Amino acid sequence: MSINAVLFDLDNTLINRKLAFEEFSNKLVDNYLVVSDPSERNEIVHYIIEADNDGYRSKKELYQELLRNLKWKKETTLEELLDYWFSEFFKCTVLMNGAMDVIHVLRNQGLKLGLITNGSVHSQNAKIDCAKIRHLFDVIVVSDEVQVKKPDKRIFEIALERLGVKPETSFYIGDHPLNDIKGASEAGLKTIWLAGFREWDVAGVQPHYTVKELKELITIFES
């Protein structure tokens, strides 16, 4: 099987958004919220994480809920919290274990590398730059930039066209069964599911491979 390109999702694939949001939530609590004891603090952080729905909820809606339901140190507006999100969250970015090892192995094999991510241009680019991985990719496509988002197959086709490769000689790796695996499959790419972040909840499609850690990709592509 000839492979010319490997494309990745960003959140919970190359970077650990789960850990990043937990760190951000702790900072939010420290800076803005009234907490009586450590157990309450843990409950509040857990509540914020659950309310965020792993990023698949608008931040405006999230912070409106938090403003209603939590105790704030001082009068705080929605606009202030949104500004805090956009200025601080990307600073919590942490690479997934094994991410750099995998990227370097694939580059050394002469494969083209791409990155496709849903989200705002500002937020996603800030995370990419904080992780210091921009220079390692031949193409980066952010949904808001191209006005189409996963699982729409067109966003995958845009990335493939920019890379100059065909879908049948390309792999896509991501954590989301619908957005990543089904979307990429419908665009004709081979797929690898990074399990552990979401339950498999998509019928009628299966990944070509399933991995629990990124380093498993090295064995797959070396073979």
Side-chain angles (χ1 to χ4, degrees), residues 1 9 29-30 46-47 61 63 90 154 180 190 192:
M1 177 173 59
D9 172 43
V29 171
D30 290 339
H46 179 73
Y47 168 69
E61 183 181 301
Y63 286 123
F90 77 91
R154 288 178 295 167
D180 295 322
K190 298 174 176 63
I192 300 175

Side-chain angles (χ1 to χ4, degrees), residues 22-140:
E22 182 177 351
E23 180 181 342
F24 173 81
S25 298
N26 277 287
K27 288 183 176 181
L28 182 70
V29 171
D30 290 339
N31 290 321
Y32 283 97
L33 294 169
V34 176
V35 180
S36 60
D37 58 61
S39 64
E40 184 185 28
R41 188 182 194 285
N42 291 336
E43 289 175 3
I44 292 172
V45 169
H46 179 73
Y47 168 69
I48 295 171
I49 291 171
E50 289 296 309
D52 176 63
N53 191 28
D54 203 24
Y56 293 97
R57 186 182 186 188
S58 79
K59 293 300 165 288
K60 181 178 179 180
E61 183 181 301
L62 170 64
Y63 286 123
Q64 286 173 331
E65 177 182 333
L66 299 186
L67 282 169
R68 288 194 304 269
N69 296 336
L70 297 177
K71 297 178 182 178
W72 299 84
K73 292 179 179 178
K74 61 181 181 67
E75 185 174 345
T76 305
T77 66
L78 175 62
E79 290 71 23
E80 181 179 352
L81 291 180
L82 289 173
D83 287 343
Y84 185 75
W85 164 260
F86 283 113
S87 66
E88 297 299 321
F89 178 59
F90 77 91
K91 298 176 185 177
C92 302
T93 299
V94 56
L95 277 169
M96 196 73 75
N97 287 338
M100 293 302 289
D101 293 332
V102 169
I103 290 171
H104 286 305
V105 166
L106 297 179
R107 283 177 60 84
N108 288 339
Q109 290 182 2
L111 296 170
K112 293 184 177 181
L113 298 185
L115 180 57
I116 304 174
T117 176
N118 283 353
S120 75
V121 174
H122 168 79
S123 294
Q124 301 308 87
N125 279 319
K127 286 184 279 188
I128 290 166
D129 290 333
C130 185
K132 296 180 171 59
I133 57 174
R134 180 178 300 278
H135 66 288
L136 299 172
F137 288 88
D138 300 291
V139 163
I140 295 173

Side-chain angles (χ1 to χ4, degrees), residues 158-175:
I158 289 169
L160 293 172
E161 182 178 355
R162 292 180 180 181
L163 282 170
V165 297
K166 297 183 180 298
E168 58 268 23
T169 65
S170 305
F171 265 95
Y172 188 79
I173 301 148
D175 71 294

